[in-house]
């Protein structure tokens, strides 16, 4: 067995990011990065979300989510307001300009999915997703990681 999965997953990620950057540029969205996609997707689906909800949806840390929202806010695509229920919480919503991106993002997403799954039949697609979910669950499992102490082999 070759054990090339990590390298292949990294290359898939790299190629997907490259495609997304090109698609965003072609759509006139050169200031929007692929990493903004999860934040925008959450807002397209929900209309509004707290920073904590955005971080959970995007599988990002709160500080990283803050940076992503900062950049989208600078571009005029989202706005932050205090939660009407709890002034300590910030709610993020799309601006009119941000809402107009829904169609472009949907089209870009469809093209990415078509590129990824295009050579696979439905059974292969299901198998791919099942195996990737299993790998991800294994990596995310708490308490099952083994660590070695540098230089000790332990």
């Amino acid at each position: 067995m070759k054990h090339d999965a990590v390298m292949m997953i990294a290359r898939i990620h790299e190629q997907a990011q490259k495609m997304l950057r090109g698609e965003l540029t072609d759509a006139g969205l050169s200031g929007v990065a692929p990493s903004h996609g999860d934040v925008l997707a959450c807002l397209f689906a929900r209309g509004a979300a707290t920073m904590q909800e955005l971080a959970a949806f995007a599988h990002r840390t709160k500080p990283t989510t803050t940076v992503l929202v900062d950049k989208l806010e600078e571009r005029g695509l989202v706005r932050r307001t205090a939660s009407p229920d709890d002034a300590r919480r910030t709610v993020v919503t799309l601006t009119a300009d941000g809402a107009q991106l829904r169609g472009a993002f949907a089209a870009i997403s469809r093209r990415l999915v078509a590129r990824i799954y295009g050579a696979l039949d439905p059974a292969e697609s299901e198998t791919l997703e099942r195996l990737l979910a299993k790998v991800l669950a294994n990596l995310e499992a708490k308490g099952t990681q083994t660590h070695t102490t540098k230089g000790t082999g332990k």
Side-chain angles (χ1 to χ4, degrees):
M1 181 174 264
K2 294 170 65 174
H3 297 101
D4 288 340
V6 172
M7 187 252 334
M8 285 188 281
I9 291 168
R11 288 184 62 204
I12 290 166
H13 179 263
E14 179 185 319
Q15 291 301 311
Q17 293 293 303
K18 182 178 176 181
M19 178 186 169
L20 289 171
R21 282 190 302 274
E23 291 277 345
L24 290 166
T25 298
D26 291 349
L29 301 169
S30 58
V32 177
S35 57
H36 295 126
D38 286 330
V39 171
L40 292 170
C42 182
L43 295 174
F44 292 148
R46 298 181 183 182
T50 64
M51 294 296 287
Q52 184 173 356
E53 291 167 337
L54 288 171
F57 184 93
H59 302 282
R60 303 271 201 249
T61 64
K62 289 179 191 173
T64 298
T65 302
T66 298
V67 170
L68 293 171
V69 170
D70 286 347
K71 298 213 184 244
L72 290 169
E73 191 172 39
E74 288 170 15
R75 294 247 346 176
L77 303 176
V78 301
R79 81 172 54 84
R80 293 179 223 209
T81 56
S83 168
D85 302 324
D86 184 347
R88 296 170 296 176
R89 298 180 85 178
T90 300
V91 175
V92 181
T93 56
L94 293 165
T95 63
D97 288 345
Q100 289 179 359
L101 299 181
R102 182 187 304 262
F105 270 78
I108 290 168
S109 180
R110 283 191 303 273
R111 287 191 291 273
L112 178 63
V113 167
R115 177 82 66 83
I116 290 170
Y117 293 97
L120 304 177
D121 65 39
E124 289 172 324
S125 296
E126 287 180 27
T127 299
L128 174 66
E129 289 190 9
R130 182 177 47 78
L131 292 173
L132 289 172
K134 196 172 186 178
V135 169
L136 181 60
N138 188 47
L139 290 170
E140 289 179 337
K142 300 267 190 246
T144 60
Q145 297 91 355
T146 57
H147 301 281
T148 56
T149 306
K150 189 174 182 177
T152 66
K154 297 180 185 178

